[in-house]
Amino acid sequence: LGLDGVVYDYFNGTEDLKAKKVKFVGDPVQRIQEDYLRILRYFRFYGRISSVADNHDDETIEAIKNNVGGMERISGERVWMEWKKILMGNYSKELTIKMVEVGLGPFIGLPSEPNIEEFEKVTSLCQANQTQLGPTALLAALLKDQTQVMNLHNRLKLSGVERDLCLFVVANRGV
Protein backbone atom coordinates (compact mmCIF):
# COMPACT_ATOMS: atom_id res chain seq x y z
CA LEU A 1 0.00 0.00 0.00
CA GLY A 2 1.50 3.25 -1.13
CA LEU A 3 1.17 6.60 0.57
CA ASP A 4 -1.31 7.47 -2.17
CA GLY A 5 -3.64 4.64 -1.02
CA VAL A 6 -2.95 2.48 -4.07
CA VAL A 7 -2.34 -1.25 -3.51
CA TYR A 8 0.81 -2.45 -5.23
CA ASP A 9 0.45 -6.20 -5.55
CA TYR A 10 3.57 -7.75 -7.06
CA PHE A 11 2.68 -11.34 -6.18
CA ASN A 12 -1.09 -11.47 -7.00
CA GLY A 13 -1.98 -11.69 -3.32
CA THR A 14 -5.21 -9.78 -3.87
CA GLU A 15 -6.38 -12.43 -6.34
CA ASP A 16 -5.45 -15.20 -3.90
CA LEU A 17 -7.40 -13.49 -1.10
CA LYS A 18 -10.46 -13.06 -3.32
CA ALA A 19 -10.22 -16.76 -4.23
CA LYS A 20 -9.65 -17.57 -0.53
CA LYS A 21 -6.41 -19.31 -1.51
CA VAL A 22 -3.57 -19.57 1.01
CA LYS A 23 0.00 -20.06 -0.16
CA PHE A 24 3.46 -18.67 0.44
CA VAL A 25 4.76 -15.61 -1.37
CA GLY A 26 7.30 -16.73 -3.95
CA ASP A 27 9.09 -20.03 -3.48
CA PRO A 28 7.42 -21.92 -0.59
CA VAL A 29 10.57 -23.93 0.22
CA GLN A 30 12.63 -20.76 0.60
CA ARG A 31 9.96 -19.06 2.73
CA ILE A 32 9.70 -22.10 5.03
CA GLN A 33 13.46 -22.44 5.38
CA GLU A 34 13.72 -18.77 6.38
CA ASP A 35 11.45 -19.49 9.37
CA TYR A 36 10.07 -22.98 9.98
CA LEU A 37 7.30 -21.59 12.18
CA ARG A 38 5.72 -20.45 8.90
CA ILE A 39 4.55 -24.06 8.50
CA LEU A 40 2.19 -23.68 11.45
CA ARG A 41 1.28 -20.15 10.41
CA TYR A 42 0.25 -21.51 7.03
CA PHE A 43 -2.28 -23.80 8.73
CA ARG A 44 -3.51 -21.01 11.01
CA PHE A 45 -4.06 -18.62 8.12
CA TYR A 46 -5.67 -21.37 6.09
CA GLY A 47 -8.29 -21.71 8.83
CA ARG A 48 -8.90 -17.97 8.82
CA ILE A 49 -9.00 -17.38 5.07
CA SER A 50 -10.18 -20.52 3.27
CA SER A 51 -13.86 -21.24 2.74
CA VAL A 52 -13.36 -25.01 2.55
CA ALA A 53 -11.66 -27.45 4.89
CA ASP A 54 -9.27 -29.18 2.50
CA ASN A 55 -8.32 -27.28 -0.64
CA HIS A 56 -4.61 -26.84 -0.06
CA ASP A 57 -2.18 -25.77 -2.75
CA ASP A 58 -0.27 -28.92 -3.80
CA GLU A 59 3.08 -27.12 -4.13
CA THR A 60 2.67 -25.67 -0.62
CA ILE A 61 1.81 -29.03 0.96
CA GLU A 62 4.74 -30.68 -0.81
CA ALA A 63 7.11 -27.97 0.45
CA ILE A 64 5.78 -28.44 3.99
CA LYS A 65 6.20 -32.25 3.80
CA ASN A 66 9.79 -31.86 2.66
CA ASN A 67 10.69 -29.40 5.42
CA VAL A 68 8.86 -30.60 8.56
CA GLY A 69 12.17 -31.57 10.16
CA GLY A 70 13.01 -27.90 10.58
CA MET A 71 10.28 -27.64 13.19
CA GLU A 72 12.60 -29.30 15.71
CA ARG A 73 14.51 -25.99 15.76
CA ILE A 74 11.43 -24.05 16.90
CA SER A 75 10.85 -23.70 20.62
CA GLY A 76 7.95 -25.63 22.09
CA GLU A 77 6.39 -22.46 23.46
CA ARG A 78 6.21 -20.93 19.97
CA VAL A 79 4.81 -24.15 18.51
CA TRP A 80 2.11 -24.32 21.20
CA MET A 81 1.21 -20.66 20.76
CA GLU A 82 0.50 -21.22 17.04
CA TRP A 83 -1.16 -24.60 17.51
CA LYS A 84 -3.57 -23.19 20.10
CA LYS A 85 -4.77 -20.69 17.53
CA ILE A 86 -5.24 -23.45 14.96
CA LEU A 87 -7.23 -25.53 17.45
CA MET A 88 -9.50 -22.57 18.23
CA GLY A 89 -10.05 -21.60 14.59
CA ASN A 90 -12.03 -22.87 11.65
CA TYR A 91 -11.35 -26.42 10.44
CA SER A 92 -9.33 -27.29 13.53
CA LYS A 93 -10.07 -30.99 13.08
CA GLU A 94 -9.16 -31.09 9.40
CA LEU A 95 -6.08 -28.91 9.83
CA THR A 96 -4.73 -30.92 12.74
CA ILE A 97 -5.22 -34.13 10.79
CA LYS A 98 -3.49 -32.57 7.75
CA MET A 99 -0.63 -31.52 10.03
CA VAL A 100 -0.23 -35.15 11.09
CA GLU A 101 -0.53 -36.36 7.47
CA VAL A 102 2.32 -34.11 6.29
CA GLY A 103 4.56 -35.51 9.03
CA LEU A 104 4.52 -32.67 11.58
CA GLY A 105 3.43 -34.88 14.50
CA PRO A 106 6.80 -35.97 15.90
CA PHE A 107 8.23 -32.45 15.54
CA ILE A 108 5.40 -30.81 17.49
CA GLY A 109 5.29 -33.30 20.34
CA LEU A 110 2.78 -35.87 19.15
CA PRO A 111 3.43 -39.59 19.45
CA SER A 112 4.26 -41.54 16.30
CA GLU A 113 0.64 -42.70 16.15
CA PRO A 114 -1.60 -40.00 17.63
CA ASN A 115 -5.13 -40.96 18.62
CA ILE A 116 -6.77 -39.58 15.47
CA GLU A 117 -9.90 -41.69 16.01
CA GLU A 118 -10.53 -40.15 19.44
CA PHE A 119 -9.71 -36.67 18.14
CA GLU A 120 -12.22 -37.05 15.30
CA LYS A 121 -14.83 -38.38 17.73
CA VAL A 122 -14.38 -35.48 20.16
CA THR A 123 -14.34 -32.77 17.49
CA SER A 124 -17.38 -34.27 15.75
CA LEU A 125 -19.30 -34.40 19.05
CA CYS A 126 -18.43 -30.77 19.70
CA GLN A 127 -19.63 -29.82 16.24
CA ALA A 128 -22.87 -31.80 16.61
CA ASN A 129 -23.57 -30.23 20.01
CA GLN A 130 -22.47 -26.75 18.92
CA THR A 131 -19.89 -26.56 21.69
CA GLN A 132 -16.25 -25.64 21.61
CA LEU A 133 -13.63 -27.21 23.83
CA GLY A 134 -10.49 -25.35 24.73
CA PRO A 135 -7.32 -26.17 22.82
CA THR A 136 -5.83 -28.20 25.67
CA ALA A 137 -8.85 -30.52 25.87
CA LEU A 138 -8.74 -31.02 22.09
CA LEU A 139 -5.03 -31.72 22.29
CA ALA A 140 -5.63 -34.35 24.98
CA ALA A 141 -7.89 -36.23 22.56
CA LEU A 142 -4.82 -36.97 20.42
CA LEU A 143 -3.04 -38.70 23.30
CA LYS A 144 -3.54 -42.26 24.50
CA ASP A 145 -1.83 -42.29 27.90
CA GLN A 146 -0.09 -40.21 30.51
CA THR A 147 3.36 -40.96 29.11
CA GLN A 148 2.32 -39.37 25.82
CA VAL A 149 1.00 -36.37 27.75
CA MET A 150 4.33 -35.92 29.52
CA ASN A 151 6.28 -36.29 26.26
CA LEU A 152 4.06 -33.63 24.67
CA HIS A 153 4.49 -31.42 27.73
CA ASN A 154 8.27 -31.76 27.50
CA ARG A 155 8.17 -30.60 23.87
CA LEU A 156 5.57 -27.82 24.11
CA LYS A 157 6.31 -26.61 27.66
CA LEU A 158 2.62 -26.60 28.58
CA SER A 159 1.64 -24.67 31.67
CA GLY A 160 1.01 -26.72 34.82
CA VAL A 161 -2.75 -26.27 34.38
CA GLU A 162 -2.60 -27.36 30.71
CA ARG A 163 -0.45 -30.40 31.57
CA ASP A 164 -2.75 -31.39 34.43
CA LEU A 165 -5.86 -31.01 32.27
CA CYS A 166 -4.36 -33.30 29.62
CA LEU A 167 -3.38 -35.82 32.31
CA PHE A 168 -6.89 -35.70 33.79
CA VAL A 169 -8.62 -36.14 30.42
CA VAL A 170 -6.41 -39.06 29.41
CA ALA A 171 -6.74 -40.79 32.81
CA ASN A 172 -10.54 -40.38 32.93
CA ARG A 173 -11.47 -40.90 29.28
CA GLY A 174 -14.47 -43.23 29.01
CA VAL A 175 -15.15 -43.22 32.76
Side-chain angles (χ1 to χ4, degrees):
L1 181 65
L3 294 174
D4 55 1
V6 175
V7 174
Y8 296 95
D9 184 7
Y10 302 109
F11 298 98
N12 300 318
T14 305
E15 288 178 27
D16 288 337
L17 282 172
K18 285 179 185 174
K20 297 187 180 250
K21 192 78 175 162
V22 181
K23 56 186 181 178
F24 291 97
V25 174
D27 177 23
V29 172
Q30 182 181 352
R31 293 288 91 78
I32 290 168
Q33 290 176 352
E34 289 169 353
D35 180 4
Y36 289 97
L37 193 62
R38 287 182 177 155
I39 292 173
L40 291 179
R41 289 189 179 135
Y42 164 80
F43 289 106
R44 178 166 56 99
F45 286 119
Y46 186 93
R48 292 182 70 175
I49 294 170
S50 185
S51 57
V52 292
D54 193 12
N55 187 26
H56 302 276
D57 177 71
D58 292 335
E59 183 182 11
T60 298
I61 293 300
E62 195 59 33
I64 289 170
K65 281 182 185 177
N66 293 330
N67 286 280
V68 292
M71 286 299 296
E72 68 188 0
R73 300 178 190 171
I74 305 300
S75 75
E77 295 90 343
R78 291 179 72 204
V79 170
W80 182 221
M81 187 181 306
E82 287 295 324
W83 198 1
K84 275 190 224 184
K85 294 172 187 174
I86 294 166
L87 288 168
M88 296 310 298
N90 298 325
Y91 317 122
S92 61
K93 173 175 72 172
E94 295 85 355
L95 291 174
T96 298
I97 291 169
K98 180 61 87 174
M99 289 164 54
V100 171
E101 287 174 0
V102 299
L104 271 171
F107 301 102
I108 58 175
L110 289 177
S112 58
E113 293 183 28
N115 197 346
I116 297 296
E117 184 180 328
E118 181 70 15
F119 181 72
E120 287 179 320
K121 177 180 145 188
V122 168
T123 53
S124 294
L125 280 169
C126 287
Q127 208 169 23
N129 293 309
Q130 298 179 351
T131 33
Q132 186 172 15
L133 291 177
T136 308
L138 291 171
L139 188 62
L142 288 161
L143 307 171
K144 295 176 184 167
D145 58 42
Q146 293 184 348
T147 300
Q148 290 182 354
V149 170
M150 293 310 294
N151 289 339
L152 180 85
H153 167 63
N154 290 335
R155 171 63 176 115
L156 299 183
K157 309 294 187 251
L158 302 171
S159 71
V161 171
E162 291 168 332
R163 179 202 61 221
D164 291 350
L165 177 59
C166 282
L167 288 167
F168 179 83
V169 169
V170 168
N172 293 285
R173 182 178 290 139
V175 175

